[in-house]
Amino acid sequence: MSSKPEQKETHQANGAVLPAVPMNCLAGPDRGQLVEPSDFLGPDGVGVEVVVLESRANAKGVREEDALLENGSQSNESDDTSTDRGPEPASPLKETSFSIGLQVLFPFLLAGFGTVAAGMVLDIVQHWDVFKYVTEVFILVPALLGLKGNLEMTLASRLSTAANIGQMDTSKELWKMITGNMALIQVQATVVGFLASIAAVIFGWIPDGHFSLDHAVLLCASSVATAFIASLVLGMIMIGVIIGSRKMGINPDNVATPIAASLGDLITLALLSGISWGLYKELESKAYVNPLVCAFFIALLPIWIIIAKRNAATREVLYSGWEPVIIAMAISSVGGLILDRTVSDPNFAGMAVFTPVINGVGGNLVAVQASRISTYLHMSGMPGESPETAPRKCPSPCSTFFSSDVNSRSARVLFLLVVPGHLVFLYTISSMQGGHTTLTPIFIVFYMTAALLQVLILLYIADWMVHWMWGRDLDPDNFSIPYLTALGDLIGTGLLALSFHILWLIGDRDSDVGD
């Protein structure tokens, strides 16, 4: 170090040159030793330049900081030359409650209208022959809609984080991320779609003890074809949304996951209805069509596996990312069993139109929160590297909803969107004369109570789960959203079915439940 009489304030790539100023003590990078002022004085008592290097810099951290500074999303705190840094990582984006709400509102409403359209479709197709005589198709509805959420929202969260930390800035990196992730979700969609059909057959067989091989093959062909085609279309939409968000200066975490669901429920449900109806029609005269459809999509698996293995990021998910999507599929299938048992009763046929809405809204909101928390944690390093940011104990509700940090602020904003959003969606359903239920005040109270309780539980679980997974060295982008959206399907369907049963028991005849 050279002695100079004048003070300098110069930033270097991975460190800072601090001016020699009088100080009582300075904490070293490891905070384990205190350095006396005399250590910073030259032989003649003149201050010298001191270069302080970041103690925990790593390749990903540098890329994250560079990407954020490049986009102007990092605050000027990164220019602070003080080494006294708190344990909490800096907020990735300096957002107010208003800016969060403004960015989330439009895609949230768009996603909500998508779920309303899906509910209207389900209300119509529930009277088709395939739904009447192969009632296990109802079990596939939450499972496949949840699968869409699991795969596309996880893809959105994964790509949003990659975009925010600068891993999609060049054409080569962008193309690599696109091909690897598209191949990955095709593998996951095909396998989990096949497993969902098996679960539907089992859950349909257990209550009645009746099994039909033709119906089982029909469910398999419908599920696999629907999952594959829906994931292909929605994956391409998601990639376009994230690239467009970055170019417009919008945080992809706020818009990607809701837009993923805006058309997702409608496309998936329309595909399931159309494919299952077509295959059911062919069942009598051309029974070989169903097995051929299953064989075709399963035969494509090796191609997608080879492409996904060529990308290091998707290779890891290809090997380790099966547990969350499979368990989530099983959880959603339980919700599908509840839907099947409830809608099959003529007294509760009106529930069909509201199920995609309440499940979709809850899943969309919690996916936004999980994606934001995950990006926030990625700013501090790699999973498992920052134990101080990953509490292993359950957080208190106060810290989740009423603290001053940006994640608590976003939780409040998302929770406050529930009532006005659902009121808009209920009015839309009523004005389009959908369903079999009149919107009486008591029905709205029960419905809103179920919706608020669902989102409250999901946001609290997300706060705990994302941090817990981070502390367990698991990337929350890949593991948290499948569980959360599946729990949203189960909780939403269960609370909605309970509300309909209570309304029927107390004799709310004005709401015409089941007419």
Side-chain angles (χ1 to χ4, degrees), residues 349-351 353-354 430 434-440 443 500 503 511-515:
M351 178 178 164
V353 72
F354 300 104
S430 177
H436 305 262
T437 303
T438 304
L439 299 184
T440 62
F443 172 82
F500 268 79
L503 286 171
S511 65
D512 297 328
V513 175
D515 286 353

Side-chain angles (χ1 to χ4, degrees), residues 150-274:
N150 297 341
L151 298 186
E152 268 60 48
M153 290 184 181
T154 300
L155 173 67
S157 180
R158 189 162 56 238
L159 292 182
S160 296
T161 298
N164 277 328
I165 65 179
Q167 291 182 350
M168 297 174 63
D169 291 343
T170 66
S171 299
K172 183 178 180 180
E173 290 176 331
L174 179 61
W175 179 249
K176 191 175 181 180
M177 292 291 289
I178 290 175
T179 55
N181 279 281
M182 286 298 293
L184 174 65
I185 64 172
Q186 295 312 310
V187 175
Q188 292 178 321
T190 304
V191 174
V192 179
F194 177 74
L195 295 177
S197 65
I198 295 177
V201 171
I202 294 175
F203 285 137
W205 168 75
I206 290 176
D208 302 327
H210 175 70
F211 174 79
S212 171
L213 181 61
D214 289 339
H215 289 179
V217 178
L218 169 66
L219 290 171
C220 177
S222 302
S223 180
V224 171
T226 300
F228 181 93
I229 299 173
S231 293
L232 180 64
V233 174
L234 295 172
M236 295 173 65
I237 294 175
M238 281 319 311
I239 291 170
V241 167
I242 291 172
I243 294 174
S245 298
R246 291 290 292 170
K247 290 184 178 180
M248 296 175 62
I250 298 175
N251 182 4
D253 284 317
N254 290 338
V255 300
T257 50
I259 292 180
S262 61
L263 295 175
D265 287 343
L266 178 60
I267 291 175
T268 304
L269 189 53
L271 284 172
L272 175 63
S273 305

Side-chain angles (χ1 to χ4, degrees), residues 438 440 442-443 502-513:
T438 304
T440 62
I442 189 171
F443 172 82
I502 293 176
L503 286 171
W504 183 76
L505 289 174
I506 64 178
D508 182 29
R509 302 305 178 187
D510 293 336
S511 65
D512 297 328
V513 175

Side-chain angles (χ1 to χ4, degrees), residues 137-456:
V137 178
F138 279 113
I139 301 178
L140 285 178
V141 171
L144 290 181
L145 297 188
L147 174 65
K148 175 272 307 172
N150 297 341
L151 298 186
E152 268 60 48
M153 290 184 181
T154 300
L155 173 67
S157 180
R158 189 162 56 238
L159 292 182
S160 296
T161 298
N164 277 328
I165 65 179
Q167 291 182 350
M168 297 174 63
D169 291 343
T170 66
S171 299
K172 183 178 180 180
E173 290 176 331
L174 179 61
W175 179 249
K176 191 175 181 180
M177 292 291 289
I178 290 175
T179 55
N181 279 281
M182 286 298 293
L184 174 65
I185 64 172
Q186 295 312 310
V187 175
Q188 292 178 321
T190 304
V191 174
V192 179
F194 177 74
L195 295 177
S197 65
I198 295 177
V201 171
I202 294 175
F203 285 137
W205 168 75
I206 290 176
D208 302 327
H210 175 70
F211 174 79
S212 171
L213 181 61
D214 289 339
H215 289 179
V217 178
L218 169 66
L219 290 171
C220 177
S222 302
S223 180
V224 171
T226 300
F228 181 93
I229 299 173
S231 293
L232 180 64
V233 174
L234 295 172
M236 295 173 65
I237 294 175
M238 281 319 311
I239 291 170
V241 167
I242 291 172
I243 294 174
S245 298
R246 291 290 292 170
K247 290 184 178 180
M248 296 175 62
I250 298 175
N251 182 4
D253 284 317
N254 290 338
V255 300
T257 50
I259 292 180
S262 61
L263 295 175
D265 287 343
L266 178 60
I267 291 175
T268 304
L269 189 53
L271 284 172
L272 175 63
S273 305
I275 292 173
S276 61
W277 177 80
L279 293 177
Y280 181 76
K281 290 295 183 181
E282 297 292 334
L283 189 61
E284 296 180 0
S285 59
K286 301 177 182 177
Y288 60 87
V289 172
N290 290 333
L292 281 180
V293 172
C294 290
F296 172 75
F297 287 106
I298 293 176
L300 294 176
L301 271 177
I303 300 175
W304 309 127
I305 292 174
I306 291 172
I307 297 175
K309 287 176 66 175
R310 291 180 178 177
N311 188 312
T314 55
R315 186 188 308 124
E316 178 184 355
V317 182
L318 184 64
Y319 291 135
S320 62
W322 292 103
E323 179 184 341
V325 293
I326 292 175
I327 294 178
M329 178 273 300
I331 295 173
S332 295
S333 296
V334 176
L337 180 60
I338 297 174
L339 177 64
D340 181 29
R341 296 289 98 182
T342 305
V343 175
S344 298
D345 188 337
N347 290 319
F348 308 113
M351 178 178 164
V353 72
F354 300 104
T355 302
V357 179
I358 193 170
N359 291 349
V361 169
N364 297 342
L365 293 178
V366 75
V368 171
Q369 181 70 351
S371 181
R372 290 179 57 87
I373 298 175
S374 180
T375 297
Y376 177 80
L377 292 175
H378 272 89
M379 296 301 168
S380 67
M382 300 292 288
E385 287 186 356
S386 305
E388 66 272 10
T389 64
R392 292 179 178 271
K393 296 182 179 180
C394 291
S396 67
C398 291
S399 64
T400 300
F401 295 100
F402 301 108
S403 65
S404 59
D405 67 84
V406 67
N407 293 323
S408 179
R409 190 181 307 134
S410 63
R412 293 193 295 270
V413 171
L414 295 173
F415 183 74
L416 291 175
L417 288 175
V418 175
V419 171
H422 273 296
L423 286 176
V424 172
F425 304 145
L426 289 177
Y427 175 78
T428 303
I429 292 173
S430 177
S431 63
M432 297 177 67
Q433 298 181 350
H436 305 262
T437 303
T438 304
L439 299 184
T440 62
I442 189 171
F443 172 82
I444 294 176
V445 168
F446 272 87
Y447 180 88
M448 287 299 174
T449 301
L452 287 170
L453 188 58
Q454 176 207 33
V455 174
L456 187 72

